[in-house]
Every structure is written in structure tokens, then in C-alpha cells.
Amino acid sequence: MDIRQMTYFIAIAEEGTITKAAERLHMAQPPLSRQVQGMEEELGVTLFERNKKKRMTLTPEGELFLQRAREVVNKMEDTVEEVKEFQNSGERKLSVGATIYSAALLVKSVVSYKEKHPNFTFQVWEDEPTRLEELLENRKIDVALTTTLFSNENVITKQLSEDPCVVVVPKNHPSTEPVSMETLSSLPLVLLRTHYGKGIYDSILAEFERLNLHPTLFCECHDSATLLNLVSAGFGATILPCSMLSLHGLNDLKTLSIENNPFILTTSLIYRKGYVSKAAQEFIQWFEEFQDVQS
């Protein structure tokens, strides 16, 4: 059995069907099916359960093999990257990802880092926490910034500074600070809601429920720029982390603190255990110092 076969197996396990795995691997289905059958014969176990809808579900043996296959393939990929990095020591490339709540910190850090290290090139991702965890595990990104911790024993997590939320209202709004939760429940609210995973939206509704308050929720929005445009137009008020507002002009808006603020996020810097590229190591070390200065 070789690395190529393990890569085939991982693709099938992740895609769930031979058809999708073949498309991902840019190969025909029959030889891919034969590879799986050959692996099962060599191991003497059944790796997948097949159903009438052609879904491929991992058996307990398959789950164990998937874990070990990923370790082997990842180790090989790390080794290849390390050799390439040694050969091209003058090049510096970094892939970083962030959730929507951590995007402002990502922008600030990347811009500042680029000023001091002009030879660096970047790939920047903004996505949901579950997707960032997948990208990190699959070596697509080197570092993730997120307010949601990953339940993954193969990553290192370093918590950064706290980021309190504030109420954002039109500039001519009569409310004064600090705003109580009772007052918040009476305002027409426009809330940012992520597609997957938990975010501020869930925390806000949970806190209202805990206090037995019934908020006036006018709109759910999935884009922060559109959200602030709605607030600016007088459509309602919203609640966002302070850091997010640095990405947007606040000419038509004002912010208000929250009484006994229950909405305080903590961004974390997350990266893989084991081999970390020199470029990522340099960025991580600089980022920690950058955060100390910013605090």
C-alpha cells in the first residue's frame, strides 16, 4: 500500500461517494473502485459500507484507517513542503484565515506585517469556524483567527485580547449609554447571523431568554457591510464587536456601551501542531508581539 492509495481512500471518505471522489481526483470511477477493493483485500477488513444509493459509509475499521491515513499523508506533505522551503529559502508565502468576527484583526495584522516584510505574499480566507478548521487540517491555511475554539487535539490555541460588543445605532438616535438589556429588547434589532456554527446572534438571543426579555428582531443579516448600511439608513440597531467597526466608516453611526456587558468575545490564534513552515513561525512570533503592543 502506498501514499497514492491512501490519498484515494481519504478522498472517498470525505466525499462520501466514488463519483464525487473520482471528480475530485480527476480520474475514472472503475479504477478508483478497484483501488478500494484492493486495499480492503490487502488489509483483510471492510473499510466502507455500501448502500443502494451508492453512499460510502466508513466502518469502525475504516474510521481508524482514515485517522492513520491522514497522519501519514499529512506527514508526507509536511516533508515535501519542508524540502521545498529549504530549496526556496528566499520566498515567503503565508495562508491565513479568519471568521467574520476576527476579520478586522486579520486585516490590521496582515497590513502591518506586510509593511515590515515586503517579500511576503499572502492568501487570505474568511469563512465559518468549521470550514477554517478543515482548511487548517488539510494544510490549505497556516494560521486561523477565530472567536470559536476548535475541538481538535492536533492544533495549538493561543487566546488573544478580549473584544467587547457595543450597540450600533444611527448617529441621530436618542439613546444614551450604557444601554441596559431591557432597553435593547425594546429597540428594533438587525442582527448579524453566520451561516453555520454559533456566533453573536446565538449569544444575544440566549441572554434575552435568560433574562425573560422578548427582543424586537426586525431582520437577520449575513453580511456585515449590508448590516451597517441598514443601521445607517435607520432600519434598526445592531450589536457587534468593537473590532469589526474598524473596517467600516462610522460617519452616519454611533456606538453605545452595554450595561454589565454580557457579550465579550475572545479571539484566538490557532495553528497546527508538528511541522510549521518558517514563514508561519515568523508570523506567529511577530503576531504575539504585535498583540502585546496593541493591548
Side-chain angles (χ1 to χ4, degrees), residues 224-243:
S224 58
T226 301
L227 176 77
L228 290 175
N229 285 333
L230 288 170
V231 175
S232 178
F235 194 72
T238 193
I239 303 170
L240 290 174
C242 285
S243 64

Side-chain angles (χ1 to χ4, degrees), residues 95-97 99 129 132-133 136-137 141-152 154-160 266-273 276 280 283-284 287-288:
S95 297
V96 291
T99 60
L132 291 181
E133 185 173 5
L136 194 64
E137 185 173 349
I141 60 175
D142 302 300
V143 179
L145 291 171
T146 172
T147 56
T148 302
L149 297 179
F150 297 166
S151 56
N152 190 326
N154 296 316
V155 301
I156 295 172
T157 301
K158 297 191 175 182
Q159 291 194 330
L160 308 175
T266 301
T267 300
S268 293
L269 176 72
I270 300 177
Y271 54 95
R272 290 185 302 275
K273 290 181 180 177
V276 179
F283 178 78
I284 292 166
F287 190 91
E288 292 175 343

Side-chain angles (χ1 to χ4, degrees), residues 1-255:
M1 191 175 303
D2 55 29
I3 291 288
R4 176 177 53 87
Q5 290 173 303
M6 290 185 181
T7 302
Y8 292 165
F9 169 78
I10 292 170
I12 297 169
E14 292 179 348
E15 297 297 336
T17 68
I18 291 287
T19 302
K20 290 183 178 179
E23 291 174 358
R24 168 172 155 179
L25 295 166
H26 306 291
M27 64 184 295
Q29 295 179 43
L32 185 56
S33 295
R34 289 195 292 270
Q35 289 290 341
V36 175
Q37 292 170 3
M39 292 171 68
E40 290 180 322
E41 290 173 3
E42 181 177 345
L43 293 169
V45 299
T46 300
L47 297 172
F48 292 102
E49 297 287 354
R50 286 84 164 167
N51 62 28
K52 294 181 179 179
K53 295 183 179 180
K54 298 183 179 180
R55 292 289 304 177
M56 305 284 283
T57 305
L58 287 169
T59 62
E61 294 85 354
E63 291 281 2
L64 174 60
F65 189 72
L66 176 62
Q67 181 181 345
R68 297 293 180 257
R70 279 176 171 158
E71 290 173 0
V72 171
V73 172
N74 288 342
K75 188 66 175 178
M76 175 60 73
E77 290 178 352
D78 285 346
T79 302
V80 170
E81 289 302 315
E82 190 171 3
V83 172
K84 286 182 179 179
E85 187 176 48
F86 180 80
Q87 183 181 24
N88 304 304
S89 56
E91 297 181 7
R92 289 290 186 270
K93 182 178 179 181
L94 190 71
S95 297
V96 291
T99 60
I100 190 171
Y101 303 126
S102 305
L105 179 58
L106 175 64
V107 170
K108 187 186 296 184
S109 60
V110 166
V111 170
S112 180
Y113 195 72
K114 181 66 174 176
E115 291 175 353
K116 297 181 181 297
H117 303 83
N119 61 323
F120 264 73
T121 59
F122 291 87
Q123 285 188 336
V124 176
W125 302 68
E126 182 183 299
D127 220 315
E128 302 286 342
T130 51
R131 176 60 176 156
L132 291 181
E133 185 173 5
E134 179 183 326
L135 291 170
L136 194 64
E137 185 173 349
N138 293 335
R139 273 63 177 168
K140 299 298 183 183
I141 60 175
D142 302 300
V143 179
L145 291 171
T146 172
T147 56
T148 302
L149 297 179
F150 297 166
S151 56
N152 190 326
E153 61 182 15
N154 296 316
V155 301
I156 295 172
T157 301
K158 297 191 175 182
Q159 291 194 330
L160 308 175
S161 57
E162 292 183 341
D163 190 5
C165 292
V166 292
V167 180
V168 186
V169 294
K171 201 158 193 173
N172 60 356
H173 197 277
S175 291
T176 57
E177 58 181 348
V179 181
S180 68
M181 290 298 294
E182 288 79 8
T183 300
L184 268 178
S185 67
S186 66
L187 296 178
L189 292 176
V190 186
L191 297 181
L192 182 66
R193 187 174 191 180
T194 56
H195 294 283
Y196 306 101
K198 293 186 177 181
I200 298 173
Y201 178 91
D202 303 88
S203 300
I204 292 170
L205 295 190
E207 183 64 13
F208 279 127
E209 183 177 357
R210 187 185 72 82
L211 296 172
N212 198 28
L213 296 172
H214 305 285
T216 309
L217 181 57
F218 269 27
C219 178
E220 296 175 2
C221 190
H222 301 284
D223 178 83
S224 58
T226 301
L227 176 77
L228 290 175
N229 285 333
L230 288 170
V231 175
S232 178
F235 194 72
T238 193
I239 303 170
L240 290 174
C242 285
S243 64
M244 284 188 68
L245 301 176
S246 64
L247 292 179
H248 306 277
L250 297 177
N251 295 334
D252 300 320
L253 301 167
K254 70 176 180 180
T255 61

